[in-house]
Amino acid sequence: DAGEGSRPFPISQKSDVRLDAIASDAVRSAGSFTQGQILELEAPRPVIVEGDPDRLRQLIMILLDNAIRHTSPGGHVRVAVASGNGVARIAVRDDGEGIAAEHLPHLFERFYRADGARGRASGGTGLGLAIARAICRAHDGEIEVRSSPGQGATFIATLPAGAALSAGAPQPITGTTNP
């Protein structure tokens, strides 16, 4: 099952991959389904993790999709990729409506939707965040959320960092995608 257990999600291949490059690709792709939101990427240096690049891209796309759906046109969705102390982090932050405290412990449960009035027709089955958590756990990582009503939300995925890049590493990836 998608949201429970220690390694519930199949990982087809694991190799050292650049999380910053995967995030850059995901932000570019997500730009095609924004509705006036502004996407920003901050990845000041290469970040390596050992993982399945397809699943890591899926993780980021889930977080971007959620952030875009909960951010008004003209609002910002920011993706930050960083590493330190043996871990890599990807944070997706929006300036949307935020999430009430009573919903936070349940967001990663299968079929849970914080807004009970929102049905599948308006975008959401309640599986995305459960899948995101399963992908993190399959990579020996974890995911958390920080939010309060009116303050937006930040989802932070933490994964074990991979091998360091050699000197002469590619340049940082940064940018903004305007609608």
Side-chain angles (χ1 to χ4, degrees), residues 3-178:
E4 312 201 12
S6 60
R7 285 189 176 267
F9 210 80
I11 299 296
S12 61
Q13 58 177 319
K14 267 190 158 180
S15 59
D16 280 349
V17 296
R18 284 191 52 195
L19 190 60
D20 59 303
I22 293 170
S24 177
D25 178 58
V27 167
R28 264 192 310 278
S29 294
S32 68
F33 59 84
T34 60
Q35 296 178 340
Q37 298 86 351
I38 299 165
L39 303 181
E40 300 172 345
L41 174 66
E42 180 184 336
R45 63 178 190 205
V47 174
I48 302 294
V49 297
E50 183 181 359
D52 179 333
D54 294 331
R55 293 293 174 226
L56 293 170
R57 184 178 192 285
Q58 182 181 15
L59 163 68
I60 297 166
M61 291 301 293
I62 289 168
L63 298 178
L64 280 167
D65 177 61
N66 270 354
I68 290 166
R69 279 192 285 118
H70 293 283
T71 301
S72 298
H76 292 260
V77 174
R78 295 169 181 89
V79 178
V81 183
S83 63
N85 298 323
V87 297
R89 285 186 190 84
I90 181 148
V92 178
R93 179 173 48 123
D94 66 61
D95 56 11
E97 71 267 14
I99 305 163
E102 65 267 17
H103 295 294
L104 295 176
H106 306 288
L107 289 178
F108 299 103
E109 295 172 7
R110 293 181 315 144
F111 305 113
Y112 188 83
R113 290 192 300 263
D115 179 358
R118 190 179 79 213
R120 290 183 64 188
S122 61
T125 61
L127 287 173
L129 292 175
I131 292 169
R133 180 176 68 176
I135 292 169
C136 286
R137 288 182 173 175
H139 285 85
D140 300 319
E142 197 50 72
I143 189 168
E144 64 180 293
V145 59
R146 297 176 186 161
S147 183
S148 57
Q151 302 298 311
T154 302
F155 287 83
I156 303 165
T158 304
L159 307 167
L165 287 177
S166 62
Q171 294 298 310
I173 301 171
T174 58
T176 300
T177 301
N178 292 317

